[in-house]
Amino acid sequence: MISKELLEILRCPMDPSRTRLRLADDHLVCERCALCFRIKDGFPVLVVEEAILPAGCDSLNQLPCQRESRTP
Ligand SMILES: [Zn+2]
């Protein structure tokens, strides 16, 4: 199980400076880009290539946070 303390220091690799992750069942979900990270053997797998994309996104480039940073 992920402890509260650990959860507070974890960040989404897509935007490490600003994001928070929240625990949802057996996943961690980024509050910003909604990427869903699996928890394997009690450890979150914070690898974007292994994360599950939110509905409506086919690739990492389509994540809301990535689009934001490209539009002036
Ligand atoms: Zn994110």
Side-chain angles (χ1 to χ4, degrees):
M1 206 51 202
I2 310 284
S3 70
K4 249 186 159 178
E5 289 76 19
L6 180 61
L7 200 58
E8 295 216 339
I9 57 165
L10 292 175
R11 293 288 182 270
C12 170
M14 295 302 282
D15 189 6
S17 59
R18 291 192 277 180
T19 49
R20 278 297 180 102
L21 299 169
R22 92 185 135 77
L23 193 60
D25 299 324
D26 54 347
H27 289 84
L28 288 178
V29 182
C30 174
E31 293 190 332
R32 191 141 184 270
C33 68
L35 269 180
C36 191
F37 300 95
R38 278 176 299 177
I39 298 169
K40 222 188 251 175
D41 301 323
F43 290 96
V45 185
L46 295 181
V47 180
V48 285
E49 286 79 12
E50 290 195 25
I52 301 156
L53 293 161
C57 284
D58 298 326
S59 74
L60 293 171
N61 294 337
Q62 291 180 3
L63 292 170
C65 60
Q66 297 304 299
R67 282 189 300 214
E68 254 174 49
S69 56
R70 266 171 223 179
T71 15

Coordinates of all heavy atoms in Angstrom, one line a residue:
M1 N 0.8 -1.2 0.0 CA 0.0 0.0 0.0 C 0.9 1.3 0.0 O 1.9 1.3 0.6 CB -0.9 0.0 1.2 CG -2.2 0.7 1.1 SD -3.0 0.3 -0.4 CE -4.1 1.7 -0.7
I2 N 0.4 2.3 -0.7 CA 1.2 3.5 -0.7 C 0.8 4.4 0.5 O -0.3 4.6 0.7 CB 0.8 4.3 -2.0 CG1 0.9 3.4 -3.3 CG2 1.6 5.5 -2.2 CD1 2.3 3.1 -3.8
S3 N 1.8 4.8 1.2 CA 1.6 5.6 2.4 C 1.3 7.1 1.9 O 1.7 7.5 0.9 CB 2.8 5.6 3.3 OG 3.9 6.3 2.7
K4 N 0.7 7.8 2.8 CA 0.4 9.2 2.6 C 1.6 10.0 2.4 O 1.7 10.9 1.5 CB -0.4 9.8 3.8 CG -1.8 10.1 3.6 CD -2.4 10.8 4.8 CE -3.6 11.7 4.4 NZ -4.2 12.3 5.6
E5 N 2.7 9.7 3.1 CA 3.9 10.4 3.0 C 4.5 10.2 1.7 O 5.0 11.2 1.1 CB 4.9 9.9 4.1 CG 4.5 10.3 5.5 CD 3.4 9.5 6.1 OE1 3.1 8.4 5.6 OE2 2.8 10.0 7.1
L6 N 4.5 9.0 1.2 CA 5.1 8.7 -0.1 C 4.2 9.4 -1.2 O 4.8 10.0 -2.1 CB 5.1 7.2 -0.4 CG 5.6 6.7 -1.7 CD1 7.1 7.1 -1.9 CD2 5.5 5.2 -1.8
L7 N 3.0 9.4 -1.1 CA 2.1 10.0 -2.0 C 2.4 11.5 -2.2 O 2.3 12.0 -3.2 CB 0.6 9.7 -1.6 CG -0.5 9.9 -2.7 CD1 -0.2 8.9 -3.8 CD2 -1.8 9.6 -2.1
E8 N 2.7 12.1 -1.1 CA 3.0 13.5 -1.1 C 4.2 13.9 -1.9 O 4.3 15.0 -2.4 CB 3.1 14.1 0.3 CG 1.8 13.9 1.1 CD 1.5 15.1 2.0 OE1 2.5 15.8 2.4 OE2 0.4 15.3 2.3
I9 N 5.2 13.0 -1.9 CA 6.4 13.4 -2.6 C 6.4 12.9 -4.1 O 7.3 13.3 -4.9 CB 7.7 12.9 -1.9 CG1 7.6 11.4 -1.7 CG2 7.8 13.6 -0.6 CD1 8.9 10.8 -1.3
L10 N 5.5 12.0 -4.4 CA 5.5 11.5 -5.8 C 4.9 12.6 -6.7 O 4.0 13.3 -6.4 CB 4.6 10.3 -5.9 CG 5.1 9.0 -5.1 CD1 4.1 7.9 -5.2 CD2 6.4 8.6 -5.7
R11 N 5.5 12.6 -7.9 CA 5.1 13.6 -8.9 C 4.9 12.9 -10.3 O 5.6 11.9 -10.5 CB 6.1 14.7 -9.1 CG 6.2 15.6 -7.9 CD 5.0 16.5 -7.7 NE 5.1 17.4 -6.6 CZ 4.7 17.1 -5.4 NH1 4.2 15.9 -5.1 NH2 4.8 18.0 -4.4
C12 N 4.1 13.4 -11.1 CA 3.9 12.8 -12.4 C 5.2 13.2 -13.3 O 5.6 14.3 -13.3 CB 2.7 13.4 -13.1 SG 2.5 13.1 -14.8
P13 N 5.7 12.2 -14.0 CA 6.9 12.5 -14.7 C 6.7 13.5 -15.9 O 7.7 14.1 -16.4 CB 7.4 11.1 -15.3 CG 6.4 10.1 -14.8 CD 5.3 10.8 -14.0
M14 N 5.5 13.7 -16.3 CA 5.2 14.6 -17.4 C 5.3 16.1 -16.9 O 5.6 17.0 -17.8 CB 3.8 14.4 -17.9 CG 3.5 13.1 -18.6 SD 4.6 12.7 -19.9 CE 3.9 13.7 -21.2
D15 N 5.2 16.3 -15.7 CA 5.2 17.7 -15.2 C 5.6 17.7 -13.7 O 4.8 18.0 -12.8 CB 3.9 18.3 -15.4 CG 3.9 19.8 -15.1 OD1 5.0 20.4 -14.8 OD2 2.9 20.5 -15.1
P16 N 6.8 17.3 -13.4 CA 7.2 17.0 -12.0 C 7.1 18.2 -11.1 O 7.0 18.0 -9.9 CB 8.6 16.5 -12.1 CG 8.9 16.3 -13.6 CD 7.9 17.1 -14.3
S17 N 7.2 19.4 -11.6 CA 7.2 20.6 -10.7 C 5.8 20.9 -10.1 O 5.8 21.5 -9.0 CB 7.7 21.8 -11.4 OG 6.9 22.1 -12.5
R18 N 4.8 20.5 -10.8 CA 3.5 21.0 -10.4 C 2.5 20.0 -10.0 O 1.5 20.3 -9.4 CB 2.9 21.9 -11.5 CG 3.6 23.2 -11.7 CD 2.9 24.1 -12.5 NE 3.1 23.8 -13.9 CZ 2.5 24.5 -14.9 NH1 1.7 25.5 -14.7 NH2 2.8 24.2 -16.2
T19 N 2.7 18.8 -10.4 CA 1.6 17.8 -10.3 C 1.5 17.1 -9.0 O 2.5 16.9 -8.3 CB 1.7 16.7 -11.4 OG1 3.0 16.2 -11.4 CG2 1.3 17.3 -12.7
R20 N 0.3 16.7 -8.7 CA 0.0 15.8 -7.5 C -0.6 14.5 -8.1 O -1.3 14.6 -9.1 CB -1.0 16.5 -6.6 CG -0.4 17.5 -5.7 CD 0.6 16.8 -4.8 NE 1.2 17.7 -3.9 CZ 0.9 17.7 -2.6 NH1 -0.1 17.1 -2.1 NH2 1.6 18.5 -1.8
L21 N -0.3 13.4 -7.4 CA -1.0 12.2 -7.8 C -2.0 11.8 -6.7 O -1.7 12.0 -5.5 CB 0.1 11.1 -7.9 CG 1.2 11.4 -9.0 CD1 2.3 10.3 -8.9 CD2 0.6 11.3 -10.4
R22 N -3.1 11.2 -7.2 CA -4.0 10.8 -6.2 C -4.2 9.3 -6.4 O -4.1 8.7 -7.5 CB -5.3 11.6 -6.3 CG -6.3 11.0 -7.1 CD -7.5 12.0 -7.2 NE -7.9 12.1 -8.6 CZ -8.6 11.2 -9.3 NH1 -9.0 10.1 -8.7 NH2 -8.9 11.3 -10.5
L23 N -4.5 8.7 -5.2 CA -4.7 7.2 -5.2 C -6.1 6.9 -5.6 O -7.0 7.4 -5.0 CB -4.3 6.7 -3.8 CG -4.1 5.2 -3.6 CD1 -3.0 4.7 -4.4 CD2 -3.9 4.9 -2.1
A24 N -6.2 6.0 -6.6 CA -7.5 5.5 -7.0 C -7.5 4.0 -7.1 O -6.8 3.5 -8.0 CB -7.9 6.2 -8.4
D25 N -8.1 3.4 -6.2 CA -8.1 1.9 -6.1 C -6.6 1.4 -6.1 O -5.9 1.8 -5.2 CB -8.9 1.3 -7.3 CG -10.3 1.7 -7.2 OD1 -10.8 1.8 -6.1 OD2 -10.9 1.9 -8.3
D26 N -6.2 0.7 -7.2 CA -4.8 0.2 -7.2 C -4.0 1.0 -8.2 O -3.1 0.5 -8.8 CB -4.8 -1.3 -7.4 CG -5.6 -1.6 -8.7 OD1 -6.3 -0.8 -9.2 OD2 -5.4 -2.8 -9.1
H27 N -4.4 2.2 -8.5 CA -3.6 3.0 -9.4 C -3.3 4.4 -8.8 O -4.0 4.8 -7.8 CB -4.5 3.3 -10.7 CG -4.7 2.1 -11.5 ND1 -5.6 1.2 -11.3 CD2 -4.0 1.7 -12.6 CE1 -5.6 0.2 -12.2 NE2 -4.6 0.5 -13.0
L28 N -2.4 5.1 -9.4 CA -2.2 6.5 -9.1 C -2.6 7.3 -10.3 O -2.2 7.0 -11.4 CB -0.7 6.8 -8.7 CG -0.2 6.2 -7.4 CD1 1.3 6.5 -7.3 CD2 -0.9 6.8 -6.2
V29 N -3.4 8.3 -10.1 CA -3.8 9.1 -11.2 C -3.3 10.5 -11.0 O -3.4 11.1 -9.9 CB -5.4 9.2 -11.2 CG1 -5.9 10.0 -12.4 CG2 -5.9 7.7 -11.3
C30 N -2.7 11.1 -12.1 CA -2.2 12.4 -12.1 C -3.4 13.4 -12.1 O -4.3 13.3 -12.9 CB -1.3 12.7 -13.3 SG -0.8 14.4 -13.4
E31 N -3.4 14.4 -11.2 CA -4.5 15.3 -11.1 C -4.5 16.3 -12.3 O -5.4 17.0 -12.5 CB -4.4 16.1 -9.8 CG -4.7 15.1 -8.6 CD -4.9 15.9 -7.3 OE1 -4.3 17.0 -7.2 OE2 -5.6 15.3 -6.4
R32 N -3.4 16.4 -13.0 CA -3.3 17.3 -14.0 C -3.5 16.7 -15.4 O -4.4 17.1 -16.1 CB -1.9 18.0 -14.0 CG -1.8 19.2 -14.9 CD -1.0 20.3 -14.3 NE -1.0 21.4 -15.1 CZ -0.1 21.6 -16.1 NH1 0.9 20.8 -16.2 NH2 -0.1 22.7 -16.9
C33 N -2.7 15.7 -15.7 CA -2.9 15.1 -17.1 C -3.7 13.9 -17.1 O -4.0 13.3 -18.1 CB -1.5 14.9 -17.7 SG -0.6 13.6 -16.9
A34 N -4.1 13.4 -15.9 CA -5.0 12.2 -15.8 C -4.3 10.9 -16.2 O -5.0 9.9 -16.4 CB -6.3 12.4 -16.5
L35 N -3.0 10.9 -16.4 CA -2.3 9.6 -16.7 C -2.5 8.7 -15.5 O -2.6 9.2 -14.3 CB -0.8 9.9 -16.9 CG -0.3 10.1 -18.3 CD1 1.2 10.3 -18.2 CD2 -0.7 9.0 -19.2
C36 N -2.7 7.4 -15.8 CA -2.9 6.5 -14.7 C -1.7 5.5 -14.6 O -1.4 4.8 -15.5 CB -4.2 5.7 -15.1 SG -4.9 4.7 -13.8
F37 N -1.1 5.5 -13.4 CA 0.1 4.7 -13.2 C -0.3 3.5 -12.4 O -1.0 3.6 -11.3 CB 1.1 5.6 -12.5 CG 1.6 6.8 -13.2 CD1 1.0 8.0 -13.0 CD2 2.6 6.7 -14.2 CE1 1.4 9.1 -13.7 CE2 2.9 7.8 -14.9 CZ 2.4 9.0 -14.7
R38 N 0.2 2.4 -12.8 CA 0.0 1.2 -12.1 C 0.8 1.1 -10.8 O 1.9 1.7 -10.8 CB 0.3 0.0 -13.0 CG -0.9 -0.4 -13.9 CD -0.5 -1.5 -14.8 NE 0.6 -1.0 -15.6 CZ 1.2 -1.9 -16.5 NH1 0.8 -3.1 -16.6 NH2 2.2 -1.4 -17.2
I39 N 0.4 0.3 -9.9 CA 1.2 0.0 -8.7 C 1.6 -1.5 -8.8 O 0.7 -2.4 -8.8 CB 0.4 0.3 -7.4 CG1 0.1 1.8 -7.4 CG2 1.2 -0.1 -6.2 CD1 -0.9 2.2 -6.3
K40 N 2.9 -1.7 -8.8 CA 3.3 -3.1 -9.0 C 4.1 -3.5 -7.7 O 5.0 -2.9 -7.3 CB 4.3 -3.1 -10.2 CG 4.2 -4.3 -11.1 CD 5.3 -4.4 -12.1 CE 4.8 -4.1 -13.5 NZ 6.0 -4.0 -14.4
D41 N 3.6 -4.5 -7.1 CA 4.2 -5.1 -5.8 C 4.3 -4.0 -4.8 O 5.3 -3.9 -4.1 CB 5.5 -5.7 -6.1 CG 5.4 -6.8 -7.1 OD1 4.4 -7.6 -7.1 OD2 6.3 -7.0 -8.0
G42 N 3.4 -3.1 -4.7 CA 3.4 -2.0 -3.7 C 4.2 -0.8 -4.1 O 4.2 0.2 -3.4
F43 N 4.8 -0.8 -5.3 CA 5.5 0.4 -5.8 C 4.9 1.0 -7.0 O 4.6 0.2 -7.9 CB 7.0 0.0 -6.1 CG 7.8 -0.3 -4.8 CD1 7.9 -1.6 -4.4 CD2 8.3 0.7 -4.1 CE1 8.7 -1.9 -3.3 CE2 9.1 0.4 -2.9 CZ 9.2 -0.9 -2.5
P44 N 4.7 2.3 -7.0 CA 4.1 2.9 -8.2 C 5.1 2.9 -9.4 O 6.2 3.1 -9.2 CB 3.8 4.3 -7.7 CG 4.6 4.6 -6.6 CD 4.9 3.2 -5.9
V45 N 4.6 2.5 -10.5 CA 5.4 2.5 -11.7 C 5.2 3.9 -12.4 O 4.3 4.1 -13.2 CB 5.0 1.4 -12.7 CG1 5.9 1.3 -13.9 CG2 5.0 0.1 -11.9
L46 N 6.1 4.8 -12.1 CA 6.0 6.2 -12.6 C 6.8 6.3 -13.9 O 7.7 7.1 -14.0 CB 6.5 7.2 -11.6 CG 5.6 7.3 -10.3 CD1 6.1 8.3 -9.4 CD2 4.1 7.6 -10.7
V47 N 6.4 5.5 -14.9 CA 7.0 5.5 -16.2 C 5.9 5.8 -17.2 O 4.9 5.1 -17.3 CB 7.6 4.1 -16.5 CG1 8.3 4.1 -17.9 CG2 8.6 3.7 -15.4
V48 N 6.1 6.9 -17.9 CA 5.0 7.4 -18.8 C 4.7 6.4 -19.9 O 3.6 6.2 -20.3 CB 5.3 8.7 -19.5 CG1 5.1 9.9 -18.5 CG2 6.7 8.8 -20.1
E49 N 5.8 5.7 -20.3 CA 5.5 4.7 -21.4 C 4.6 3.5 -20.9 O 4.0 2.8 -21.7 CB 6.9 4.1 -21.8 CG 7.7 5.0 -22.7 CD 8.4 6.1 -21.9 OE1 8.5 5.9 -20.6 OE2 8.9 7.0 -22.5
E50 N 4.6 3.3 -19.6 CA 3.8 2.2 -19.0 C 2.5 2.7 -18.4 O 1.7 2.0 -18.0 CB 4.6 1.5 -18.0 CG 5.7 0.7 -18.6 CD 6.3 -0.4 -17.6 OE1 5.5 -0.8 -16.7 OE2 7.4 -0.7 -17.8
A51 N 2.3 4.0 -18.4 CA 1.1 4.6 -17.8 C -0.1 4.4 -18.8 O 0.1 4.2 -20.0 CB 1.3 6.1 -17.6
I52 N -1.3 4.4 -18.2 CA -2.5 4.2 -19.0 C -3.0 5.6 -19.4 O -3.2 6.5 -18.5 CB -3.5 3.4 -18.2 CG1 -2.9 2.1 -17.9 CG2 -4.8 3.3 -19.1 CD1 -3.6 1.4 -16.7
L53 N -3.2 5.8 -20.7 CA -3.7 7.2 -21.1 C -5.1 7.4 -20.8 O -5.9 6.4 -20.8 CB -3.5 7.2 -22.7 CG -2.0 7.3 -23.2 CD1 -2.0 6.9 -24.7 CD2 -1.4 8.6 -22.9
P54 N -5.5 8.6 -20.5 CA -6.9 8.9 -20.2 C -7.8 8.8 -21.4 O -7.2 8.8 -22.5 CB -6.9 10.3 -19.6 CG -5.6 10.9 -20.2 CD -4.6 9.8 -20.3
A55 N -9.0 8.6 -21.2 CA -10.0 8.5 -22.3 C -9.9 9.7 -23.3 O -9.8 10.8 -22.8 CB -11.4 8.3 -21.8
G56 N -9.8 9.4 -24.6 CA -9.8 10.5 -25.5 C -8.4 10.8 -25.9 O -8.2 11.7 -26.8
C57 N -7.4 10.2 -25.3 CA -6.0 10.5 -25.7 C -5.4 9.3 -26.3 O -5.4 8.2 -25.7 CB -5.2 10.9 -24.4 SG -5.5 12.6 -23.9
D58 N -4.8 9.4 -27.5 CA -4.1 8.3 -28.1 C -2.6 8.3 -27.9 O -2.0 7.3 -28.1 CB -4.4 8.4 -29.6 CG -5.8 8.3 -30.0 OD1 -6.6 7.5 -29.2 OD2 -6.3 8.9 -30.9
S59 N -2.1 9.4 -27.5 CA -0.7 9.5 -27.3 C -0.4 10.5 -26.2 O -1.2 11.3 -25.8 CB 0.1 9.8 -28.6 OG -0.1 11.2 -28.8
L60 N 0.9 10.5 -25.7 CA 1.3 11.4 -24.7 C 1.2 12.8 -25.1 O 0.9 13.7 -24.3 CB 2.7 11.1 -24.2 CG 2.9 9.7 -23.5 CD1 4.4 9.4 -23.4 CD2 2.2 9.7 -22.2
N61 N 1.4 13.1 -26.4 CA 1.3 14.4 -26.9 C -0.1 15.1 -26.8 O -0.2 16.3 -26.9 CB 1.7 14.5 -28.4 CG 3.1 14.1 -28.6 OD1 3.9 14.2 -27.7 ND2 3.5 13.6 -29.8
Q62 N -1.1 14.2 -26.7 CA -2.4 14.7 -26.6 C -2.9 15.0 -25.2 O -4.0 15.4 -25.0 CB -3.4 13.7 -27.3 CG -3.1 13.6 -28.8 CD -4.1 12.6 -29.4 OE1 -4.9 12.1 -28.8 NE2 -3.9 12.4 -30.7
L63 N -2.1 14.8 -24.2 CA -2.5 15.1 -22.9 C -2.7 16.6 -22.7 O -2.0 17.4 -23.3 CB -1.4 14.6 -21.9 CG -1.2 13.1 -21.8 CD1 0.1 12.8 -21.0 CD2 -2.4 12.4 -21.2
P64 N -3.7 16.9 -21.9 CA -4.0 18.3 -21.7 C -2.8 19.2 -21.3 O -2.6 20.3 -21.8 CB -5.0 18.3 -20.6 CG -5.6 16.9 -20.6 CD -4.6 16.0 -21.1
C65 N -1.9 18.6 -20.4 CA -0.8 19.4 -19.9 C 0.2 19.6 -21.0 O 0.9 20.6 -21.0 CB -0.2 18.8 -18.7 SG 0.5 17.1 -19.0
Q66 N 0.3 18.7 -22.0 CA 1.3 18.9 -23.1 C 0.8 19.9 -24.1 O 1.5 20.6 -24.6 CB 1.5 17.5 -23.7 CG 2.1 16.5 -22.8 CD 3.4 17.0 -22.2 OE1 4.4 17.3 -22.9 NE2 3.5 17.2 -20.9
R67 N -0.5 19.9 -24.3 CA -1.1 20.8 -25.3 C -1.0 22.2 -24.7 O -0.6 23.2 -25.4 CB -2.5 20.5 -25.5 CG -2.7 19.3 -26.5 CD -4.1 19.1 -26.9 NE -5.0 18.8 -25.7 CZ -6.0 18.0 -25.7 NH1 -6.4 17.4 -26.9 NH2 -6.7 17.8 -24.7
E68 N -1.2 22.4 -23.4 CA -1.1 23.7 -22.8 C 0.3 24.3 -23.0 O 0.4 25.5 -23.3 CB -1.3 23.5 -21.3 CG -2.6 23.9 -20.7 CD -2.7 23.5 -19.2 OE1 -1.8 23.8 -18.5 OE2 -3.7 22.9 -18.9
S69 N 1.3 23.5 -22.7 CA 2.6 24.1 -22.7 C 3.1 24.5 -24.2 O 4.0 25.2 -24.3 CB 3.6 23.1 -22.2 OG 3.5 21.8 -22.9
R70 N 2.3 24.0 -25.2 CA 2.7 24.3 -26.5 C 2.0 25.5 -27.1 O 2.4 26.2 -28.0 CB 2.5 23.1 -27.4 CG 3.8 22.3 -27.6 CD 3.5 21.1 -28.3 NE 4.2 20.0 -27.6 CZ 4.1 18.7 -28.0 NH1 3.4 18.4 -29.0 NH2 4.8 17.8 -27.3
T71 N 0.8 25.8 -26.5 CA 0.0 27.0 -27.0 C 0.5 28.2 -26.2 O 0.6 28.2 -25.0 CB -1.5 26.8 -26.8 OG1 -1.6 25.7 -25.9 CG2 -2.2 26.5 -28.0
P72 N 0.8 29.3 -26.9 CA 1.3 30.5 -26.3 C 0.2 31.2 -25.5 O -0.9 31.0 -25.7 CB 1.8 31.4 -27.4 CG 1.2 30.8 -28.7 CD 0.8 29.4 -28.4
Ligands
ZN1 ZN 0.6 14.3 -15.2

